[in-house]
Amino acid sequence: RKNEKKGKHTTNDLLSITNGTCYIMDCEECNSVICLDWREICDGKIDCSNGLDEYHCYNLEKNECNPDSEYRYSNGQCIDKILYRNHYYDCMDDSDETVFLSKSCNFFDPLMHCENYPCHSLLFSCGDGHCYNGPNVQSTDRCETQRDRLYFNQMPSSTLILYSHIHLIYNDMKPELIRFNQTSNELTCRLYNTFTDEKYTNFDDMLKDVKRFVRSCSLLQQNSHNCSLFQCNDQSKCLSYHRLLDGVADCANEEDEYHPNSCSFQIPYRFACDNGTRCISQRLVFDRILHCSDKDDGHARHFHACRDHMTDQCRTYQGKAPRFDFTFSELCNGIIDRMSNISNDTDESHCDKTEWPCSTYYNDCNHVWNCPDGSDGLNTCLGFNGKLTFLHCNNTMHFCLDIQHGFPICLPKERANDGIINCVGSIDEQEFCRLKYPGKSIRGFRCNESDICIQRHQICNCHQDCPNNDDETTACVWLNNGQATSCDPNKFRCRDGRYTDNNNCNDLRLCSDGEHNLFCQQCNVGIYVRTTTNPPEFFCLCTSYYYGDRCQFQRKRITIMLKLDIGNFIDNHIPIFKFVILLVRHNTTSSILFHEQFIYTPQKHCLPRYTTELLYPITDLSLSFLNHSIYIHVFIANTLQHFVSWHFPVSFEFLPVRRIVKQLLVMNISKFTSTVTIDFPNCTSCSNDSLCLGYDIDLDREICLCPWHRTGRRCLITFNPCRNYSCNDHGSIDQFICDCYPTKNFFE
């Protein structure tokens, strides 16, 4: 496998390193088997016990794009028709193209494409862009992220939970019973042999049959009398006609994949065969399976779209997604991670502990104590101090260093969180640091006889951080193993004398006794970085898609992709343009949630494409459906005169990740007559000769549009683009842009 060839973590290590990321459902408790990945919102199956993840999704089924000007992709969203088959992947599912470039997506090499790739209906999300007909840890197509293994770890032995409310009870490869809820109060059990008397030799075959039998139960019961779309024969589902013959069976008897006259529905962008009676999805053409009776979909003329069936290029063409996915703890888990900036409410407010057991399927072995005594991390957990417990103690005790002399002890779980500090760093009494530093779980080491909690890297670093210096004395007795303390801030010394990188929480195989994981925390996604300060500090540097002190939460966002066309300018004096993109919320008043700026130089870039992310506030509730719009304003760079604007309303607010793709035609400047003035009158921080376009809530500052001779976020820095010294003698000027000399390794 790719990660093994690189000499990185083997797949057996992953769940010890990270329990992943999740998309938080704030309004109600989801109560899924494991925390949701954003791809599990509107994926055609219930993941939350109350069906919360599939609320409002019928709006996507009903949505129709304008066939004259738009292309509709699998989840109901639209792109401009002019972008269809333009050799760029404009749809999130790539269905707008037939010839695909080779892609590679996995946990270790996340790409923007993988981060934003959704799963097709009913598939299991690995959290990294890879989706398959799982979960099944025995499958060759299983998750590299091991999210499927985590799913099984959270279930009782010999039990498989599907669609949150269907339980398959099996013994080895022999399925015995299917238990499910027909209504919220009625529990129904059926012997498996009432479905089939098939004998199974592998789990994959059994899983496929089970999913086929219960496919009609993947969604909440719908009102069959109000269905104006395609309805399954058993009236269990009401589907968009675009789901017919798309390669994914949604109905229990698969009638959506065997409709005899699908062309009669006049679904656009389909491949017609069988004398114009059968219209199949374009991604089924030449997929090595014949879907048409006349075999036209397997004709060699389609070979250019899939020349090598083993490549990622062909997998994508076949609708098999590339690689990417993760998970994390739920709300009401006993740990304060988030606090409202409006009230004093936290993610633990209003949580009745009699209704919220501390040990559940989805938080056992998540490397965090959810139960006061830490018992949820003692069974078969191998991560962080769990691995130390596994190596040195039994499953009823916690490994730690004795508070008196610093040597290892196995502390009975009954003495954990009993109000008496027995372990160095007070790791047996974790509640104090959690409450004092909410949302900062990296501060997990409490100084002795103090209310100060410090970080892992501050221990045994030859710098006193605790008042009693116990971070350099008692805590180091066992770690130093009789040696003098190592003061190298860039190295961590194992007890056997070997040295490793100080970034020691990123691999569990560095030290044989597991001591490098003592007091550790971990970045789920992003980079664990070290500051240059003395003493150094460490924190998680998250990508824009994630937030949290360990990058554990997935952020709601919109990807906007713009293709610019300059139009028919009749002279060579084409101006340089400044684009400003605003994500605006319309409530009682309009407010700017996020913004981006870029410069467009037509003389230098012909028909360019720009991609950027617009992020929602992390304090937003996931099901808060306020109205939003995207505004794009264009200004002439040297005068800041407004040139043209576009306004695009944002649809489907219940989706965590969306994409808006537009081709924008910049009109002929000779016809330019706009007299519109765009300026925010109450600006206080921008320079007097700049434009203030409003206040960015995310950045907590005003949006300043600088004139040609100024730069900086407030336009207070002088910049003369007509003189070479503006590029520090390391480049040349080209219309407000420094062209750097590539052979001299200079950058802006």
Side-chain angles (χ1 to χ4, degrees):
R1 300 176 71 85
K2 181 175 180 180
N3 54 308
E4 292 171 348
K5 291 179 180 179
K6 285 188 174 183
K8 295 186 178 181
H9 313 287
T10 63
T11 53
N12 291 332
D13 290 328
L14 285 182
L15 293 185
S16 298
I17 297 171
T18 174
N19 203 32
T21 65
C22 73
Y23 181 69
I24 293 294
M25 304 288 286
D26 284 298
C27 290
E28 300 179 43
E29 178 53 43
C30 171
N31 197 25
S32 55
V33 175
I34 56 177
C35 187
L36 291 188
D37 174 60
W38 70 262
R39 298 167 183 83
E40 293 174 310
I41 309 296
C42 295
D43 64 346
K45 56 182 175 62
I46 303 170
D47 296 289
C48 298
S49 59
N50 55 7
L52 181 64
D53 55 308
E54 298 300 312
Y55 284 5
H56 313 289
C57 302
Y58 187 59
N59 293 325
L60 288 168
E61 295 294 317
K62 296 188 299 181
N63 187 55
E64 288 292 338
C65 304
N66 185 339
D68 295 328
S69 60
E70 295 177 314
Y71 168 77
R72 183 189 191 275
Y73 57 101
S74 60
N75 74 345
Q77 299 185 72
C78 312
I79 64 169
D80 290 347
K81 181 179 179 179
I82 196 171
L83 302 173
Y84 180 69
R85 301 287 175 82
N86 66 346
H87 304 293
Y88 291 95
Y89 309 112
D90 297 301
C91 295
M92 292 176 65
D93 63 356
D94 292 347
S95 62
D96 53 315
E97 301 299 324
T98 55
V99 181
F100 293 89
L101 298 175
S102 178
K103 301 185 185 73
S104 177
C105 297
N106 60 46
F107 177 79
F108 301 105
D109 301 292
L111 305 172
M112 185 192 76
H113 172 85
C114 311
E115 295 273 11
N116 293 328
Y117 199 98
C119 291
H120 290 292
S121 177
L122 299 178
L123 297 184
F124 182 82
S125 173
C126 293
D128 60 354
H130 176 47
C131 316
Y132 77 106
N133 191 21
N136 180 13
V137 294
Q138 298 178 8
S139 170
T140 57
D141 204 24
R142 62 186 180 270
C143 301
E144 289 191 7
T145 62
Q146 295 203 45
R147 189 172 189 264
D148 43 6
R149 188 159 73 91
L150 178 65
Y151 191 93
F152 276 94
N153 286 350
Q154 311 304 340
M155 289 183 286
S157 177
S158 298
T159 301
L160 173 64
I161 300 176
L162 293 172
Y163 315 142
S164 80
H165 63 290
I166 299 173
H167 295 231
L168 169 69
I169 312 301
Y170 61 93
N171 183 10
D172 195 16
M173 288 297 121
K174 181 183 178 182
E176 298 179 343
L177 188 71
I178 291 183
R179 184 175 63 217
F180 58 96
N181 291 332
Q182 283 188 319
T183 67
S184 58
N185 299 313
E186 182 181 353
L187 184 65
T188 302
C189 295
R190 289 181 62 181
L191 294 175
Y192 190 81
N193 58 19
T194 62
F195 294 92
T196 180
D197 56 2
E198 182 76 23
K199 306 298 182 183
Y200 301 102
T201 58
N202 64 75
F203 193 89
D204 203 30
D205 290 339
M206 181 179 71
L207 176 65
K208 289 178 181 178
D209 269 0
V210 172
K211 295 185 76 171
R212 177 165 56 87
F213 298 144
V214 301
R215 188 182 294 136
S216 61
C217 303
S218 68
L219 289 175
L220 295 172
Q221 190 68 35
Q222 299 173 348
N223 189 339
S224 60
H225 301 293
N226 295 330
C227 181
S228 59
L229 306 177
F230 179 82
Q231 191 168 42
C232 297
N233 291 341
D234 60 3
Q235 298 186 340
S236 62
K237 295 181 182 179
C238 191
L239 305 171
S240 167
Y241 287 105
H242 295 271
R243 294 200 184 275
L244 299 181
L245 285 85
D246 64 348
V248 179
D250 296 286
C251 297
N253 295 319
E254 303 185 6
E255 57 266 27
D256 55 311
E257 294 303 302
Y258 295 100
H259 196 282
N261 193 17
S262 56
C263 290
S264 64
F265 300 114
Q266 297 182 338
I267 308 170
Y269 305 100
R270 287 292 178 114
F271 178 83
C273 57
D274 294 349
N275 295 319
T277 61
R278 189 172 180 83
C279 290
I280 66 175
S281 170
Q282 290 281 358
R283 67 187 182 88
L284 301 182
V285 178
F286 210 74
D287 65 347
R288 306 191 76 177
I289 300 174
L290 293 176
H291 303 273
C292 301
S293 298
D294 61 9
K295 303 181 181 180
D296 190 33
D297 58 316
H299 195 278
R301 70 177 183 274
H302 307 299
F303 184 69
H304 71 279
C306 206
R307 296 178 181 177
D308 184 350
H309 293 280
M310 302 304 294
T311 62
D312 283 348
Q313 168 182 327
C314 188
R315 286 178 57 85
T316 311
Y317 176 79
Q318 295 169 343
K320 298 177 181 177
R323 315 275 176 186
F324 194 87
D325 196 81
F326 308 86
T327 58
F328 201 69
S329 307
E330 294 286 346
L331 299 179
C332 297
N333 64 355
I335 302 170
I336 297 177
D337 288 305
R338 307 171 70 216
M339 181 176 292
S340 170
N341 59 356
I342 300 175
S343 65
N344 291 324
D345 283 342
T346 71
D347 54 318
E348 297 304 302
S349 298
H350 316 296
C351 298
D352 188 340
K353 296 305 179 183
T354 62
E355 299 177 0
W356 291 93
C358 63
S359 179
T360 65
Y361 295 149
Y362 48 82
N363 65 19
D364 283 351
C365 298
N366 65 351
H367 318 313
V368 179
W369 284 16
N370 297 94
C371 294
D373 63 357
S375 57
D376 53 313
L378 285 177
N379 295 325
T380 58
C381 306
L382 298 182
F384 306 115
N385 278 16
K387 182 173 183 179
L388 290 166
T389 297
F390 178 79
L391 291 174
H392 304 286
C393 305
N394 61 39
N395 61 3
T396 65
M397 298 183 175
H398 295 285
F399 175 90
C400 71
L401 304 181
D402 188 273
I403 188 66
Q404 300 298 326
H405 48 67
F407 288 104
I409 61 171
C410 292
L411 186 75
K413 65 179 182 179
E414 292 78 12
R415 295 175 61 188
N417 202 35
D418 62 355
I420 301 173
I421 299 175
N422 300 284
C423 301
V424 171
S426 188
I427 63 174
D428 59 321
E429 305 292 326
Q430 298 185 10
E431 201 67 19
F432 179 87
C433 291
R434 289 177 177 176
L435 295 175
K436 184 173 177 61
Y437 301 95
K440 298 180 180 179
S441 57
I442 197 171
R443 288 180 172 268
F445 184 99
R446 183 182 179 184
C447 297
N448 192 24
E449 300 179 343
S450 171
D451 60 357
I452 298 174
C453 298
I454 64 174
Q455 301 180 31
R456 163 67 179 86
H457 70 88
Q458 295 174 278
I459 303 167
C460 305
N461 65 346
C462 300
H463 181 276
Q464 180 178 345
D465 297 287
C466 292
N468 293 341
N469 200 31
D470 52 295
D471 57 312
E472 300 301 320
T473 54
T474 313
C476 309
V477 173
W478 181 69
L479 287 174
N480 288 338
N481 198 20
Q483 306 172 74
T485 298
S486 171
C487 297
D488 188 341
N490 299 311
K491 296 291 183 180
F492 178 88
R493 187 182 60 203
C494 299
R495 299 184 72 243
D496 60 7
R498 292 184 300 111
Y499 282 84
T500 71
D501 289 336
N502 201 21
N503 191 10
N504 51 73
C505 293
N506 287 341
D507 196 314
L508 295 186
R509 296 172 295 160
L510 297 177
C511 299
S512 57
D513 288 337
E515 61 269 26
H516 58 290
N517 289 302
L518 191 63
F519 314 119
C520 264
Q521 295 295 333
Q522 190 74 33
C523 299
N524 290 275
V525 182
I527 303 173
Y528 192 56
V529 297
R530 173 183 180 273
T531 68
T532 58
T533 58
N534 189 15
E537 294 184 37
F538 291 83
F539 61 93
C540 295
L541 184 63
C542 307
T543 66
S544 60
Y545 303 123
Y546 301 93
Y547 66 96
D549 66 307
R550 289 198 279 160
C551 308
Q552 64 267 41
F553 301 116
Q554 299 169 355
R555 192 163 184 181
K556 186 174 181 179
R557 60 189 183 269
I558 299 175
T559 301
I560 183 162
M561 304 173 69
L562 304 177
K563 179 182 179 183
L564 304 183
D565 190 342
I566 197 62
N568 298 318
F569 280 91
I570 60 176
D571 56 41
N572 293 325
H573 300 290
I574 305 175
I576 296 174
F577 299 103
K578 287 194 172 185
F579 278 66
V580 181
I581 306 174
L582 308 176
L583 175 59
V584 178
R585 171 170 292 169
H586 306 293
N587 202 353
T588 53
T589 59
S590 294
S591 54
I592 300 173
L593 303 184
F594 200 85
H595 90 283
E596 286 288 352
Q597 297 186 33
F598 65 86
I599 295 177
Y600 171 35
T601 308
Q603 301 94 328
K604 191 170 184 179
H605 305 289
C606 180
L607 302 178
R609 294 173 61 89
Y610 293 92
T611 301
T612 190
E613 307 286 345
L614 304 177
L615 308 177
Y616 282 72
I618 61 177
T619 54
D620 269 11
L621 298 179
S622 60
L623 296 180
S624 296
F625 302 143
L626 301 173
N627 293 324
H628 297 87
S629 295
I630 293 176
Y631 291 89
I632 303 175
H633 300 304
V634 183
F635 302 85
I636 298 177
N638 62 341
T639 65
L640 297 188
Q641 183 181 9
H642 176 255
F643 187 67
V644 66
S645 293
W646 292 271
H647 168 226
F648 303 111
V650 176
S651 304
F652 310 123
E653 289 288 353
F654 51 86
L655 292 177
V657 178
R658 284 156 292 166
R659 178 178 293 180
I660 294 178
V661 188
K662 295 293 179 181
Q663 176 162 309
L664 304 182
L665 177 63
V666 181
M667 302 302 294
N668 192 324
I669 195 170
S670 63
K671 298 180 180 179
F672 170 61
T673 58
S674 175
T675 58
V676 176
T677 300
I678 298 179
D679 197 9
F680 183 65
N682 299 321
C683 183
T684 59
S685 64
C686 300
S687 68
N688 294 332
D689 50 357
S690 65
L691 287 183
C692 184
L693 303 182
Y695 193 86
D696 187 313
I697 293 178
D698 183 72
L699 296 177
D700 192 25
R701 62 175 174 83
E702 291 165 337
I703 304 170
C704 304
L705 187 66
C706 301
W708 66 273
H709 62 285
R710 290 188 180 276
T711 188
R713 66 181 183 87
R714 295 190 295 162
C715 305
L716 297 177
I717 302 174
T718 301
F719 174 77
N720 189 341
C722 299
R723 301 203 179 164
N724 281 335
Y725 64 72
S726 295
C727 297
N728 295 319
D729 296 325
H730 299 149
S732 60
I733 297 297
D734 182 7
Q735 306 259 7
F736 302 106
I737 296 176
C738 294
D739 280 342
C740 302
Y741 302 140
T743 59
K744 297 183 180 179
N745 297 320
F746 291 117
F747 302 93
E748 57 174 80

